[in-house]
Amino acid sequence: MRHARGFEWPTLLILLATYAAWGFGSWLWGSTAILSILLTGIAIAQFSSLQHEVLHGHPFRAQWLNEALVFPALSPFVPYLRFKDLHLQHHFDPSLTDPYDDPESNFMEPAAWVKTPWIMQRLLRWNNTLAGRVLLGPALGTWIFLRDELVQLRAGNGRVIVAWGLHFLGLVPLLLWLQWVGMPIWVYLLAVYLGTGLLKIRTYLEHRAHHAFRARTVVIEDRGPLSYLFLNNNFHVVHHMHPAVPWYELPALYASRRAHYLRRNESYVYRNYAEVFRRYLLTAKDPVPHPVWPVQSVDTGHSDKGFQP
């Protein structure tokens, strides 16, 4: 569902607003520290949602132009090209939740889990509650990501080397701006942690372990502030089935065929984020070892040739 005019105004406007909020938030550091961190962190989370739109081909037809729009490395630990490559790999639905083939999985192979030191097991169990995912998840996820990236860099992976090289260039405008507004790097990293924690709310239960891959992806029928922060990616099964559809069309597309999507994912649905917080704030939704292992790459029933995953 791409527009004939060649670009998508809502995405471009929200990108401009996000840069403005990020700049204003960091500029406030000298006068209102807490508000500065809050606004900057929220803008960083929104920027990540926009990077997600960009890697799926929005808002322009020319992908080089889309990626130029998000060149500044506002999230200093995740190169855009690595986010792009790993996320597009994640979109191979038959591998969803696989601890090895899905780079966004939070599950472990049961045999690997048994060999994990008990301290790490406790951390990972806490990470599987919503509170743990928000408070601990940014540090734990960043450590695991950087550990794996270092392995790729040491192995001489050319694609990874290029991604990090471009990322370091993208850090230059970020550092120059922080120097100009007087925001210390350690304070900015607090804002990054906040922004990453907010994103963990979205990713917390996007996918579940299930024998049929069509039933692994959630819908959260929320239209509040978090939905806008995540650019409607809470309608996640719709996004996985139609990844080229822009964020602002997802709710209407879902509403037009709600029964179809819920039949497709076997009613893996929540009314809103308030329900998610109420049920899982301190209670783990899933175990860490994958409960349906080995992960099956098959679909069963309710096929619809007009809507491929």
Side-chain angles (χ1 to χ4, degrees):
M1 294 187 180
R2 303 305 300 273
H3 298 279
R5 60 194 177 197
F7 61 92
E8 300 158 359
W9 275 109
T11 305
L12 188 59
L13 288 175
I14 201 168
L15 177 62
L16 293 174
T18 300
Y19 273 124
W22 176 83
F24 182 63
S26 54
W27 177 79
L28 281 175
W29 164 249
S31 56
T32 313
I34 294 178
L35 181 59
S36 173
I37 294 173
L38 287 174
L39 186 56
T40 304
I42 291 170
I44 290 169
Q46 187 79 81
F47 185 76
S48 181
S49 295
L50 286 159
Q51 285 185 311
H52 174 259
E53 284 294 298
V54 163
L55 68 85
H56 282 294
H58 309 283
F60 295 98
R61 292 182 183 275
Q63 186 62 10
W64 69 267
L65 180 56
N66 294 333
E67 296 183 352
L69 292 174
V70 295
F71 176 73
L74 303 191
S75 298
F77 299 115
V78 183
Y80 165 76
L81 281 182
R82 294 302 292 145
F83 177 29
K84 177 182 179 180
D85 289 350
L86 294 172
H87 184 72
L88 292 179
Q89 180 183 343
H90 162 78
H91 264 266
F92 182 62
D93 282 12
S95 295
L96 285 175
T97 75
D98 189 293
Y100 300 107
D101 295 334
D102 179 4
E104 298 183 16
S105 176
N106 285 289
F107 292 102
M108 290 182 64
E109 179 188 0
W113 169 254
V114 172
K115 299 176 183 178
T116 302
W118 70 268
I119 294 178
M120 181 58 69
Q121 286 188 351
R122 295 196 66 174
L123 289 175
L124 290 172
R125 285 195 183 102
W126 171 240
N127 187 57
N128 266 18
T129 67
L130 182 54
R133 190 66 57 87
V134 172
L135 297 175
L136 174 65
L140 188 60
T142 298
W143 175 74
I144 293 173
F145 172 73
L146 293 179
R147 179 200 63 188
D148 294 344
E149 289 295 285
L150 185 59
V151 171
Q152 295 293 325
L153 290 169
R154 286 176 171 172
N157 187 315
R159 176 74 174 177
V160 177
I161 293 172
V162 169
W164 278 98
L166 291 173
H167 185 66
F168 287 135
L169 290 177
L171 285 172
V172 173
L174 167 66
L175 295 174
L176 290 174
W177 174 262
L178 294 180
Q179 184 179 28
W180 188 73
V181 300
M183 176 179 266
I185 292 177
W186 69 268
V187 175
Y188 187 74
L189 293 180
L190 288 178
V192 172
Y193 203 95
L194 170 63
T196 307
L198 289 171
L199 290 171
K200 295 294 183 182
I201 299 172
R202 174 179 66 79
T203 60
Y204 175 68
L205 46 58
E206 280 183 341
H207 301 285
R208 65 175 174 177
H210 198 282
H211 289 288
F213 69 76
R214 61 176 176 78
R216 295 173 189 165
T217 306
V218 77
V219 167
I220 303 174
E221 298 175 321
D222 194 292
R223 297 301 307 276
L226 286 176
S227 180
Y228 284 100
L229 184 66
F230 304 147
L231 295 184
N232 294 325
N233 215 10
N234 45 296
F235 297 94
H236 206 55
V237 71
V238 187
H239 167 65
H240 265 256
M241 293 174 70
H242 316 287
V245 172
W247 64 275
Y248 50 87
E249 292 182 358
L250 293 177
L253 184 56
Y254 173 71
S256 69
R257 300 195 68 186
R258 181 178 184 272
H260 165 77
Y261 291 114
L262 295 186
R263 183 174 67 251
R264 179 77 180 179
N265 77 348
E266 295 196 10
S267 296
Y268 184 31
V269 59
Y270 298 87
R271 293 189 301 275
N272 48 48
Y273 279 106
E275 179 185 359
V276 176
F277 270 84
R278 185 173 62 252
R279 294 177 62 175
Y280 301 119
L281 183 63
L282 299 175
T283 302
K285 173 185 171 291
D286 297 306
V288 181
H290 203 292
V292 185
W293 183 262
V295 178
Q296 299 181 18
S297 299
V298 297
D299 204 356
T300 56
H302 305 303
S303 62
D304 187 332
K305 295 182 180 179
F307 288 83
Q308 298 299 316

